[in-house]
Amino acid sequence: MKKWLTLLLSVVFIFGLAACGSDESEDAGNDSNEDSNESEEVVELTIASWGFGAEGDENLNRLMVDAFNEQHEDINVTIDESIDSSDWNGSLAAAASGGVMPDVFMLAQIPTGLANDWLYDISDIATADEEFSQVPEAVVDAVTYGEGIYALPAGQHLLGYFVNKDLFNEQNLDAPAMGVSTDEFVKAVRDVTDVNDGRVGLNHPFTIPDWYPIAANQDMGWFTYLDGSFQLDSNEFISGVNLAQDMLTNGYAYETLSEDQQANFNGENPEEVWLNGQVGIKWDGTWITGHLDSQSDFEWDFIGIPGERVVMTHDYYGISSATQHPEAAYELAKWMSFSSEGFLKQIEIADSSENLNIASMPVTADQEVLDVYFERFDAPGLRQAYENIDEAVVEPVKTVPGYNLARWDAPTGVEVGDNPNANMAGLVDAAIRGNLNIQDYVSQMNELANQQYEEGQASIQ
């Protein structure tokens, strides 16, 4: 009896081990399947930008998203059409509060994103990315706040003047070139102007107070802002406003001519007059290079601003602080911004269409990409400007806290015309038009501008 009991217990024990082994094997198989399913799972991302145009349009950015999806079987990107371009920040705020923030989105101002905690700190991902080291140093500095990097630069453009070389040559005048001094620049504007004959030096004078301090003093920035402070009470700013007023008063700028004077020119608007070859020097950004190359029939060059300093501006992509896939979101934002492969793909897409142009300069020092770009736009000034890109001044509109208030929107309490409380932009405009003396107000303006910066800075800390 004992032998039978012992035998029975042995059989039960053996079958129990077999059953356990079978369960463990099945569990291991299930775990393996689960891991396999997870590795094959497609990451879903959303992206929002005012640069996508309307759904159904032939749009370079939309086609870039399609190309990204084709190259990444493990990532699927959907364009978020719900963010309203007419109220970008308001729409993003609503999306954030509703928990439906796009993973990647264009930023109207980086400080707004920081103040609202919308932005993921990508510094660990970016600094580990060898290609990010090809982004110009000045640009990296502009998107760095404290120890964190909170945006990626997209749509890099240079700001400055374009010159119609033919118009100068026809008058036996030397066309200004990159590096021209301020005095030489002013002389060129005056010499080429003959309103009665349908020639004028500038398209408009209103950006002179922004760039003049940079040209006049290495220790100043755009609209005098540099390293956390404005210097609007400086001689450089006052001189810039006065030069702009001189250009307007003496009829050296098309957009401020009288209707009778503008009747001497061919065109329904300032852009047509420029393309018709009657404006010597035009203020704009390098986003016009493709359009200018295809629409103008004169030889042009980019000369930037007087002096050797280069000014650039960007769009910026942010990655949502709520994203579940920061690495994949970074790859998408990189593809749409500074990626060498991405930029070459933009060129490939644009070349295959009659309706698309490359509007941006590459946001990289990659020589292969630069060579391809400059083969298309062989303007000496563009190449020369890019040689100084690491020392460039970044326009502070989208990067400096409080800047928009300091430059444009902050009310001053000063009565100008019918406005009892003109804002900063209104005061500068009135001075250029000769309706007030800027020297009487620069101390007040400087105090107000620095106050706006300090309050903006406090909001992101």
Side-chain angles (χ1 to χ4, degrees), residues 103-120:
D103 295 281
V104 178
F105 52 93
M106 197 72 85
L107 283 160
Q109 298 90 24
I110 300 174
T112 301
L114 289 171
N116 288 286
D117 296 322
W118 292 341
L119 297 175
Y120 188 93

PDB file of all heavy atoms in Angstrom, residues 103-120:
ATOM      1  N   ASP A 103       1.711  67.179 -30.520  1.00  0.00           N
ATOM      2  CA  ASP A 103       3.042  66.764 -30.054  1.00  0.00           C
ATOM      3  C   ASP A 103       4.113  67.746 -30.494  1.00  0.00           C
ATOM      4  O   ASP A 103       5.059  68.018 -29.754  1.00  0.00           O
ATOM      5  CB  ASP A 103       3.365  65.366 -30.595  1.00  0.00           C
ATOM      6  CG  ASP A 103       2.440  64.311 -30.051  1.00  0.00           C
ATOM      7  OD1 ASP A 103       2.643  63.875 -28.902  1.00  0.00           O
ATOM      8  OD2 ASP A 103       1.496  63.924 -30.768  1.00  0.00           O
ATOM      9  N   VAL A 104       3.970  68.257 -31.708  1.00  0.00           N
ATOM     10  CA  VAL A 104       4.919  69.225 -32.282  1.00  0.00           C
ATOM     11  C   VAL A 104       4.100  70.394 -32.812  1.00  0.00           C
ATOM     12  O   VAL A 104       3.069  70.183 -33.459  1.00  0.00           O
ATOM     13  CB  VAL A 104       5.746  68.591 -33.422  1.00  0.00           C
ATOM     14  CG1 VAL A 104       6.683  69.622 -34.046  1.00  0.00           C
ATOM     15  CG2 VAL A 104       6.529  67.387 -32.907  1.00  0.00           C
ATOM     16  N   PHE A 105       4.533  71.604 -32.529  1.00  0.00           N
ATOM     17  CA  PHE A 105       3.748  72.764 -32.979  1.00  0.00           C
ATOM     18  C   PHE A 105       4.655  73.964 -33.188  1.00  0.00           C
ATOM     19  O   PHE A 105       5.691  74.122 -32.536  1.00  0.00           O
ATOM     20  CB  PHE A 105       2.649  73.113 -31.965  1.00  0.00           C
ATOM     21  CG  PHE A 105       3.126  73.274 -30.545  1.00  0.00           C
ATOM     22  CD1 PHE A 105       3.481  74.513 -30.041  1.00  0.00           C
ATOM     23  CD2 PHE A 105       3.218  72.169 -29.701  1.00  0.00           C
ATOM     24  CE1 PHE A 105       3.919  74.667 -28.739  1.00  0.00           C
ATOM     25  CE2 PHE A 105       3.661  72.306 -28.388  1.00  0.00           C
ATOM     26  CZ  PHE A 105       4.005  73.558 -27.912  1.00  0.00           C
ATOM     27  N   MET A 106       4.236  74.816 -34.119  1.00  0.00           N
ATOM     28  CA  MET A 106       4.950  76.059 -34.375  1.00  0.00           C
ATOM     29  C   MET A 106       4.692  77.019 -33.224  1.00  0.00           C
ATOM     30  O   MET A 106       3.614  77.044 -32.639  1.00  0.00           O
ATOM     31  CB  MET A 106       4.482  76.663 -35.690  1.00  0.00           C
ATOM     32  CG  MET A 106       5.424  77.711 -36.253  1.00  0.00           C
ATOM     33  SD  MET A 106       6.940  76.995 -36.909  1.00  0.00           S
ATOM     34  CE  MET A 106       6.433  76.566 -38.565  1.00  0.00           C
ATOM     35  N   LEU A 107       5.717  77.810 -32.911  1.00  0.00           N
ATOM     36  CA  LEU A 107       5.636  78.753 -31.795  1.00  0.00           C
ATOM     37  C   LEU A 107       5.585  80.178 -32.309  1.00  0.00           C
ATOM     38  O   LEU A 107       6.458  80.607 -33.054  1.00  0.00           O
ATOM     39  CB  LEU A 107       6.861  78.596 -30.886  1.00  0.00           C
ATOM     40  CG  LEU A 107       6.858  77.396 -29.947  1.00  0.00           C
ATOM     41  CD1 LEU A 107       8.269  77.086 -29.487  1.00  0.00           C
ATOM     42  CD2 LEU A 107       5.960  77.660 -28.751  1.00  0.00           C
ATOM     43  N   ALA A 108       4.564  80.927 -31.878  1.00  0.00           N
ATOM     44  CA  ALA A 108       4.531  82.348 -32.190  1.00  0.00           C
ATOM     45  C   ALA A 108       5.603  83.085 -31.401  1.00  0.00           C
ATOM     46  O   ALA A 108       6.283  83.964 -31.930  1.00  0.00           O
ATOM     47  CB  ALA A 108       3.148  82.925 -31.888  1.00  0.00           C
ATOM     48  N   GLN A 109       5.750  82.734 -30.124  1.00  0.00           N
ATOM     49  CA  GLN A 109       6.823  83.257 -29.271  1.00  0.00           C
ATOM     50  C   GLN A 109       7.231  82.150 -28.300  1.00  0.00           C
ATOM     51  O   GLN A 109       6.367  81.551 -27.647  1.00  0.00           O
ATOM     52  CB  GLN A 109       6.384  84.499 -28.458  1.00  0.00           C
ATOM     53  CG  GLN A 109       5.985  85.707 -29.267  1.00  0.00           C
ATOM     54  CD  GLN A 109       4.518  85.706 -29.601  1.00  0.00           C
ATOM     55  OE1 GLN A 109       3.714  85.086 -28.919  1.00  0.00           O
ATOM     56  NE2 GLN A 109       4.158  86.407 -30.662  1.00  0.00           N
ATOM     57  N   ILE A 110       8.516  81.901 -28.204  1.00  0.00           N
ATOM     58  CA  ILE A 110       8.989  80.874 -27.282  1.00  0.00           C
ATOM     59  C   ILE A 110       8.658  81.234 -25.834  1.00  0.00           C
ATOM     60  O   ILE A 110       8.210  80.361 -25.065  1.00  0.00           O
ATOM     61  CB  ILE A 110      10.500  80.631 -27.458  1.00  0.00           C
ATOM     62  CG1 ILE A 110      10.799  80.162 -28.878  1.00  0.00           C
ATOM     63  CG2 ILE A 110      11.003  79.593 -26.453  1.00  0.00           C
ATOM     64  CD1 ILE A 110      12.274  80.028 -29.199  1.00  0.00           C
ATOM     65  N   PRO A 111       8.851  82.489 -25.372  1.00  0.00           N
ATOM     66  CA  PRO A 111       8.528  82.809 -23.977  1.00  0.00           C
ATOM     67  C   PRO A 111       7.066  82.520 -23.610  1.00  0.00           C
ATOM     68  O   PRO A 111       6.788  82.136 -22.474  1.00  0.00           O
ATOM     69  CB  PRO A 111       8.838  84.304 -23.884  1.00  0.00           C
ATOM     70  CG  PRO A 111       9.910  84.527 -24.896  1.00  0.00           C
ATOM     71  CD  PRO A 111       9.532  83.632 -26.030  1.00  0.00           C
ATOM     72  N   THR A 112       6.148  82.692 -24.539  1.00  0.00           N
ATOM     73  CA  THR A 112       4.745  82.360 -24.252  1.00  0.00           C
ATOM     74  C   THR A 112       4.600  80.875 -23.958  1.00  0.00           C
ATOM     75  O   THR A 112       3.882  80.468 -23.032  1.00  0.00           O
ATOM     76  CB  THR A 112       3.845  82.755 -25.441  1.00  0.00           C
ATOM     77  OG1 THR A 112       3.971  84.153 -25.677  1.00  0.00           O
ATOM     78  CG2 THR A 112       2.391  82.408 -25.166  1.00  0.00           C
ATOM     79  N   GLY A 113       5.288  80.050 -24.734  1.00  0.00           N
ATOM     80  CA  GLY A 113       5.261  78.614 -24.487  1.00  0.00           C
ATOM     81  C   GLY A 113       5.862  78.251 -23.148  1.00  0.00           C
ATOM     82  O   GLY A 113       5.357  77.367 -22.437  1.00  0.00           O
ATOM     83  N   LEU A 114       6.947  78.925 -22.766  1.00  0.00           N
ATOM     84  CA  LEU A 114       7.575  78.664 -21.475  1.00  0.00           C
ATOM     85  C   LEU A 114       6.677  79.098 -20.325  1.00  0.00           C
ATOM     86  O   LEU A 114       6.519  78.380 -19.327  1.00  0.00           O
ATOM     87  CB  LEU A 114       8.916  79.399 -21.395  1.00  0.00           C
ATOM     88  CG  LEU A 114      10.039  78.850 -22.274  1.00  0.00           C
ATOM     89  CD1 LEU A 114      11.232  79.799 -22.276  1.00  0.00           C
ATOM     90  CD2 LEU A 114      10.467  77.472 -21.790  1.00  0.00           C
ATOM     91  N   ALA A 115       6.091  80.281 -20.442  1.00  0.00           N
ATOM     92  CA  ALA A 115       5.247  80.808 -19.367  1.00  0.00           C
ATOM     93  C   ALA A 115       4.036  79.909 -19.121  1.00  0.00           C
ATOM     94  O   ALA A 115       3.534  79.841 -17.988  1.00  0.00           O
ATOM     95  CB  ALA A 115       4.793  82.229 -19.709  1.00  0.00           C
ATOM     96  N   ASN A 116       3.567  79.214 -20.158  1.00  0.00           N
ATOM     97  CA  ASN A 116       2.395  78.352 -20.033  1.00  0.00           C
ATOM     98  C   ASN A 116       2.743  76.880 -19.825  1.00  0.00           C
ATOM     99  O   ASN A 116       1.842  76.034 -19.819  1.00  0.00           O
ATOM    100  CB  ASN A 116       1.516  78.503 -21.271  1.00  0.00           C
ATOM    101  CG  ASN A 116       0.788  79.824 -21.325  1.00  0.00           C
ATOM    102  OD1 ASN A 116      -0.171  80.042 -20.593  1.00  0.00           O
ATOM    103  ND2 ASN A 116       1.262  80.727 -22.172  1.00  0.00           N
ATOM    104  N   ASP A 117       4.036  76.582 -19.671  1.00  0.00           N
ATOM    105  CA  ASP A 117       4.494  75.202 -19.458  1.00  0.00           C
ATOM    106  C   ASP A 117       4.088  74.273 -20.596  1.00  0.00           C
ATOM    107  O   ASP A 117       3.760  73.109 -20.390  1.00  0.00           O
ATOM    108  CB  ASP A 117       3.969  74.643 -18.117  1.00  0.00           C
ATOM    109  CG  ASP A 117       4.514  75.394 -16.918  1.00  0.00           C
ATOM    110  OD1 ASP A 117       5.693  75.781 -16.959  1.00  0.00           O
ATOM    111  OD2 ASP A 117       3.760  75.598 -15.946  1.00  0.00           O
ATOM    112  N   TRP A 118       4.121  74.790 -21.823  1.00  0.00           N
ATOM    113  CA  TRP A 118       3.770  73.976 -22.980  1.00  0.00           C
ATOM    114  C   TRP A 118       4.953  73.163 -23.498  1.00  0.00           C
ATOM    115  O   TRP A 118       4.750  72.228 -24.268  1.00  0.00           O
ATOM    116  CB  TRP A 118       3.299  74.875 -24.133  1.00  0.00           C
ATOM    117  CG  TRP A 118       2.010  75.579 -23.912  1.00  0.00           C
ATOM    118  CD1 TRP A 118       1.029  75.283 -23.002  1.00  0.00           C
ATOM    119  CD2 TRP A 118       1.534  76.719 -24.651  1.00  0.00           C
ATOM    120  NE1 TRP A 118      -0.009  76.164 -23.125  1.00  0.00           N
ATOM    121  CE2 TRP A 118       0.264  77.052 -24.125  1.00  0.00           C
ATOM    122  CE3 TRP A 118       2.058  77.484 -25.696  1.00  0.00           C
ATOM    123  CZ2 TRP A 118      -0.494  78.120 -24.613  1.00  0.00           C
ATOM    124  CZ3 TRP A 118       1.311  78.536 -26.187  1.00  0.00           C
ATOM    125  CH2 TRP A 118       0.049  78.857 -25.650  1.00  0.00           C
ATOM    126  N   LEU A 119       6.181  73.539 -23.129  1.00  0.00           N
ATOM    127  CA  LEU A 119       7.349  73.083 -23.877  1.00  0.00           C
ATOM    128  C   LEU A 119       8.174  72.036 -23.129  1.00  0.00           C
ATOM    129  O   LEU A 119       8.461  72.168 -21.929  1.00  0.00           O
ATOM    130  CB  LEU A 119       8.242  74.285 -24.218  1.00  0.00           C
ATOM    131  CG  LEU A 119       7.584  75.326 -25.122  1.00  0.00           C
ATOM    132  CD1 LEU A 119       8.509  76.524 -25.306  1.00  0.00           C
ATOM    133  CD2 LEU A 119       7.219  74.723 -26.471  1.00  0.00           C
ATOM    134  N   TYR A 120       8.565  71.027 -23.858  1.00  0.00           N
ATOM    135  CA  TYR A 120       9.431  69.958 -23.364  1.00  0.00           C
ATOM    136  C   TYR A 120      10.885  70.415 -23.470  1.00  0.00           C
ATOM    137  O   TYR A 120      11.298  70.974 -24.488  1.00  0.00           O
ATOM    138  CB  TYR A 120       9.207  68.710 -24.217  1.00  0.00           C
ATOM    139  CG  TYR A 120       9.885  67.459 -23.719  1.00  0.00           C
ATOM    140  CD1 TYR A 120       9.209  66.579 -22.888  1.00  0.00           C
ATOM    141  CD2 TYR A 120      11.186  67.156 -24.098  1.00  0.00           C
ATOM    142  CE1 TYR A 120       9.821  65.408 -22.443  1.00  0.00           C
ATOM    143  CE2 TYR A 120      11.809  65.993 -23.657  1.00  0.00           C
ATOM    144  CZ  TYR A 120      11.118  65.122 -22.827  1.00  0.00           C
ATOM    145  OH  TYR A 120      11.729  63.982 -22.377  1.00  0.00           O
TER     146      TYR A 120
END
